[in-house]
Amino acid sequence: MRTRQCPSDAMNPHSCSGSSGLSSGSDSDSSSCLGWGGAATATTTGRGLLSRYWSLESLYSATVFNNGSTSRPSLFDDLGSDEDFYDELHVSGHRFVGGGEQLAINELISDGSVVYAEALWDHVTMDDGELGFKAGSVIEVMDATNKEWWRGRIVDSKGWFPASFVRLRVNQDEPMEDCVTKAGDKDQDPRNVPRRNGIGSNNKDQMRTNVINEILNTEKHYIKHLKDICEGYIKQCRKRDDMFTEEQLWTIFGNIEEIYKFQKKFLKTLEKRINKEAPHLSEVGSCFLEYQTDFQIYSEYCNNHPNACTELSKLSKAKKYVHFFETCRLLQKMIDISIDGFLLTPVQKICKYPLQLAELLKYTNPQHRDYTNVEAALDAMKNVAKLINERKRRLENIDKIAQWQSSIEDWEGEDILARSSELIHSGELTKISHQQPKGQQRIFFLFDHQIVYCKKDLLRRDILYYKGKINMDDMEVVNVDDGKDKDFNITVKNAFKLQSKVSEEIHLFLTKKPEHKQRWLQAFEEERKQVHLDKETGFSISEIQKKQAMINASKPHPSGKPKAVNRSYYDFWMKQKHPTLPADLPQQQVFMLAEPKRKPSNFWQNISRLTPFRK
């Protein structure tokens, strides 16, 4: 439940406080609270071009920051303790106040200008003082004084709403009718979108210019954020080996230095594609297509981000670390955002690209030379977002797989995570081989690269004993017709085989029903597709992640009962589907990574108390 302190009449924005949920996934310069396993409290400093009359540069010029960065002496050389130096900085007046965008917005509102924002997500509320809306709604901003809660209006409805749930419209003078129906948003209620008189110019060239400028300017500011992190934090942390180990630094910052190096190269190429004389003629789509594979480095960073939040949370309990990080920020003359807010910007940035490209495509005529490339770039960046989501899901699954292995008695050989990271299907089969011509009933678990089979305990049917595994990379799946099988000289029904491609090894499997057989054949196809996809995309799990998952799974169970996994856990696991990203709303499709969190479920917190296969 969100905490918000506002007077009942909602007339005093300065009294509002509390979290506005998590990030809207706005561009990298927006550092509002967002959660990929963590939260950051920060000052919002920019959400995009407000209009052709007041651009992103004007927003940032309202915030007094020094963009230059020269080499500085060591943070703590001859300066005494961290705490003393931190206090001296505050006394000496090194203050950098954020909120430039808010000042600019409120000045425009005071001058009688109309400022519009677009909703990135649904805001569902039961509070009469808050403004509810759906993703895609256009809101007139009436008050942006408070950094977390803005006041707005939709038709006749007024109220407060989380600033992180919206972004300012790139083209403030765009006709409102153009944004009533978003791409695929057929159910958008026109009554939920405000109308206005005196529609401004509908010059698509100017609007395309606005979007091009936003893409370029936000890229430059993002580079500055990355530079500040690398030079302001990482460089100084490495000087303090008494405070940080290399492992800690990797946990906190991940591969952000690699991202910084890549983004500088990307920006140089992007600038070359900008037509300075006529920006609307710029051809930037090919730039995204050229680097679409390189953007996959964000996957590692996003997957590590929850670990970074956890580590920073631990360090923040010690005052010296709080002072150290704040001193780093002040010396680098960074904007008023905590370190976890800065570390959130890459997650937000990779989410923002598809939204920017969708906006660019909207204002690109089909006859434009860049149209085809922008369209392809939008699909490519959506696929990058999907890939990152899928990798995140897979990494979350390895803990469950490790826990499953820990529940199996008499496990032999290498850990399941040594070769596999995805459970594809499981069920009961009768297995026959030349070594065991008598049929054996076993429980089979099909993972990528291998299939594991276990035996139920005779008395405790909820306990499984490991019996073996088969390497699927060496096997060929053969559909067996009902009747007499020539290899085993027996009559079979609902059968299939696993036949080795490198030896004479053959395994015959029988299912109880035809539909069970078809499901297994389908599962084997899925397993091969998964293996090929992982090879194409370069998906892998680090040895550190595998080791940590097995350590977590080996921790003693608080109940003291025999280790076993509950059938409800197994059933739930098997019913899980890969997350399908809705195609109707582009915002929901590309911001799945950084969508505001809802109330967390306690299901997985209680999973260790569950036990599989209980009859």
Side-chain angles (χ1 to χ4, degrees):
M1 190 70 179
R2 198 170 46 248
T3 301
R4 181 177 63 87
Q5 296 176 349
C6 273
S8 58
D9 58 1
M11 292 299 291
N12 183 7
H14 297 285
S15 65
C16 298
S17 63
S19 171
S20 59
L22 301 181
S23 158
S24 60
S26 51
D27 53 73
S28 62
D29 302 303
S30 168
S31 305
S32 51
C33 255
L34 177 147
W36 182 308
T41 303
T43 302
T44 305
T45 61
R47 293 174 188 276
L49 291 176
L50 298 183
S51 72
R52 59 183 175 180
Y53 306 110
W54 53 299
S55 64
L56 199 71
E57 292 94 334
S58 67
L59 289 183
Y60 280 92
S61 64
T63 312
V64 185
F65 303 130
N66 183 359
N67 195 23
S69 178
T70 58
S71 59
R72 295 179 175 83
S74 175
L75 272 177
F76 303 106
D77 292 345
D78 305 321
L79 289 174
S81 69
D82 302 350
E83 291 83 355
D84 292 342
F85 185 41
Y86 170 78
D87 294 335
E88 286 174 14
L89 277 173
H90 272 281
V91 172
S92 63
H94 289 264
R95 295 179 180 273
F96 307 96
V97 181
E101 179 194 23
Q102 295 169 254
L103 293 173
I105 296 171
N106 281 296
E107 283 180 11
L108 285 166
I109 295 173
S110 300
D111 292 341
S113 300
V114 181
V115 179
Y116 289 99
E118 292 178 276
L120 295 170
W121 297 288
D122 296 350
H123 178 226
V124 181
T125 178
M126 300 297 290
D127 192 326
D128 292 337
E130 294 184 20
L131 181 66
F133 46 74
K134 292 184 178 181
S137 299
V138 178
I139 305 149
E140 179 185 347
V141 180
M142 302 167 61
D143 188 341
T145 308
N146 185 270
K147 67 181 181 180
E148 294 180 348
W149 285 86
W150 291 358
R151 186 164 175 77
R153 170 170 51 204
I154 298 179
V155 191
D156 296 328
S157 301
K158 300 179 184 179
W160 298 95
F161 61 90
S164 61
F165 275 50
V166 303
R167 72 169 190 135
L168 295 173
R169 292 183 63 196
V170 176
N171 290 295
Q172 289 288 316
D173 54 356
E174 174 193 4
M176 298 305 296
E177 288 80 359
D178 289 352
C179 60
V180 171
T181 304
K182 296 292 177 182
D185 192 8
K186 299 177 181 178
D187 298 327
Q188 176 70 44
D189 186 354
R191 295 174 299 175
N192 204 22
V193 181
R195 304 280 177 166
R196 62 173 174 172
N197 297 323
I199 295 173
S201 169
N202 192 21
N203 188 323
K204 269 199 169 184
D205 289 346
Q206 179 59 53
M207 292 180 174
R208 191 173 199 272
T209 296
N210 291 348
V211 180
I212 290 289
N213 287 337
E214 183 197 43
I215 291 174
L216 181 61
N217 290 328
T218 55
E219 201 66 31
K220 290 178 179 179
H221 286 289
Y222 178 49
I223 291 293
K224 184 184 183 302
H225 273 296
L226 295 177
K227 179 181 179 181
D228 285 341
I229 293 170
C230 293
E231 295 186 3
Y233 286 119
I234 300 178
K235 185 178 178 181
Q236 303 302 335
C237 287
R238 287 197 172 121
K239 296 178 181 178
R240 298 301 303 265
D241 54 7
D242 59 317
M243 294 177 67
F244 303 96
T245 65
E246 279 300 320
E247 186 177 350
Q248 274 182 309
L249 293 181
W250 172 256
T251 301
I252 295 171
F253 299 103
N255 64 334
I256 201 166
E257 290 175 302
E258 184 182 354
I259 290 175
Y260 177 40
K261 183 179 179 181
F262 158 67
Q263 289 292 160
K264 287 193 293 184
K265 181 173 65 173
F266 175 76
L267 177 60
K268 286 183 180 179
T269 306
L270 181 65
E271 288 177 322
K272 292 178 182 178
R273 310 289 167 86
I274 302 294
N275 186 326
K276 296 180 181 179
E277 301 298 326
H280 66 280
L281 297 178
S282 301
E283 300 177 29
V284 300
S286 58
C287 182
F288 285 91
L289 292 175
E290 181 180 342
Y291 292 102
Q292 59 180 304
T293 304
D294 299 84
F295 278 109
Q296 293 180 12
I297 63 173
Y298 277 84
S299 177
E300 183 176 359
Y301 184 86
C302 293
N303 290 330
N304 179 68
H305 187 257
N307 299 329
C309 293
T310 301
E311 184 66 25
L312 285 172
S313 178
K314 291 178 183 177
L315 296 180
S316 66
K317 295 176 181 178
K319 196 174 181 181
K320 70 174 183 177
Y321 287 100
V322 177
H323 289 163
F324 176 84
F325 287 132
E326 181 64 2
T327 301
C328 289
R329 184 187 72 79
L330 292 171
L331 280 179
Q332 188 68 15
K333 296 184 179 179
M334 299 160 73
I335 58 178
D336 189 13
I337 300 175
S338 60
I339 182 174
D340 45 359
F342 276 105
L343 295 179
L344 200 55
T345 54
V347 179
Q348 294 174 313
K349 187 61 177 178
I350 198 63
C351 294
K352 182 65 182 293
Y353 283 125
L355 186 60
Q356 288 180 321
L357 289 169
E359 197 88 24
L360 182 61
L361 185 64
K362 180 179 179 181
Y363 299 114
T364 304
N365 288 319
Q367 295 78 22
H368 197 293
R369 291 177 56 181
D370 200 26
Y371 185 87
T372 302
N373 283 338
V374 172
E375 192 174 38
L378 175 58
D379 290 337
M381 295 309 294
K382 284 181 179 179
N383 288 334
V384 170
K386 288 180 183 179
L387 174 65
I388 294 174
N389 277 323
E390 173 63 10
R391 290 185 173 186
K392 181 174 184 290
R393 185 191 67 82
R394 293 279 295 279
L395 284 173
E396 289 172 345
N397 270 351
I398 68 173
D399 286 327
K400 303 171 192 175
I401 293 175
Q403 184 181 1
W404 170 82
Q405 180 185 317
S406 71
S407 73
I408 305 299
E409 300 291 340
D410 301 337
W411 184 273
E412 295 179 3
E414 64 181 7
D415 292 332
I416 190 74
L417 292 178
R419 303 186 62 229
S420 303
S421 61
E422 179 86 349
L423 174 65
I424 296 168
H425 188 55
S426 67
E428 197 164 354
L429 296 169
T430 298
K431 176 180 176 294
I432 299 173
S433 64
H434 290 301
Q435 291 78 17
Q436 294 287 345
K438 185 179 179 181
Q440 297 176 319
Q441 276 199 331
R442 298 287 184 259
I443 303 294
F444 285 81
F445 298 86
L446 177 61
F447 297 87
D448 52 312
H449 297 288
Q450 59 187 317
I451 186 169
V452 178
Y453 52 99
C454 303
K455 178 183 178 181
K456 291 181 181 179
D457 185 87
L458 293 176
L459 299 178
R460 288 287 306 275
R461 305 292 283 178
D462 58 331
I463 295 179
L464 297 178
Y465 294 90
Y466 174 83
K467 287 300 177 183
K469 64 170 75 80
I470 300 172
N471 183 359
M472 290 303 302
D473 294 337
D474 296 336
M475 291 293 168
E476 180 182 1
V477 180
V478 180
N479 187 2
V480 179
D481 295 330
D482 292 348
K484 193 164 188 177
D485 179 74
K486 60 179 181 179
D487 290 321
F488 291 90
N489 198 28
I490 58 175
T491 301
V492 298
K493 188 176 182 180
N494 306 325
F496 61 86
K497 293 177 185 175
L498 291 181
Q499 187 169 318
S500 175
K501 293 180 284 188
V502 296
S503 69
E504 296 181 355
E505 180 184 357
I506 301 176
H507 302 276
L508 178 66
F509 300 91
L510 308 177
T511 65
K512 294 180 180 179
K513 298 179 181 180
E515 54 266 33
H516 294 169
K517 172 185 172 180
Q518 292 304 315
R519 181 63 189 94
W520 273 104
L521 294 177
Q522 179 186 347
F524 287 121
E525 290 182 7
E526 293 173 4
E527 186 270 338
R528 286 294 90 187
K529 287 180 181 177
Q530 186 69 67
V531 169
H532 292 148
L533 180 62
D534 289 347
K535 187 176 181 180
E536 288 177 4
T537 59
F539 175 81
S540 63
I541 300 173
S542 69
E543 293 301 319
I544 294 176
Q545 290 168 324
K546 295 175 185 177
K547 182 179 179 181
Q548 187 60 49
M550 296 308 300
I551 290 174
N552 294 340
S554 63
K555 290 178 180 178
H557 297 268
S559 62
K561 295 180 181 179
K563 52 180 182 176
V565 186
N566 189 310
R567 177 149 208 113
S568 61
Y569 173 30
Y570 159 74
D571 290 340
F572 179 85
W573 197 5
M574 290 312 306
K575 289 177 183 177
Q576 279 195 117
K577 297 180 180 178
H578 291 206
T580 55
L581 302 177
D584 54 345
L585 284 176
Q587 295 93 333
Q588 293 178 2
Q589 186 173 29
V590 301
F591 286 107
M592 183 178 176
L593 289 173
E595 185 176 359
K597 285 186 178 179
R598 306 302 180 189
K599 186 176 181 180
S601 167
N602 292 325
F603 180 83
W604 291 112
Q605 297 176 7
N606 299 326
I607 204 66
S608 61
R609 293 195 290 270
L610 305 177
T611 52
F613 313 109
R614 188 181 298 279
K615 290 287 185 179

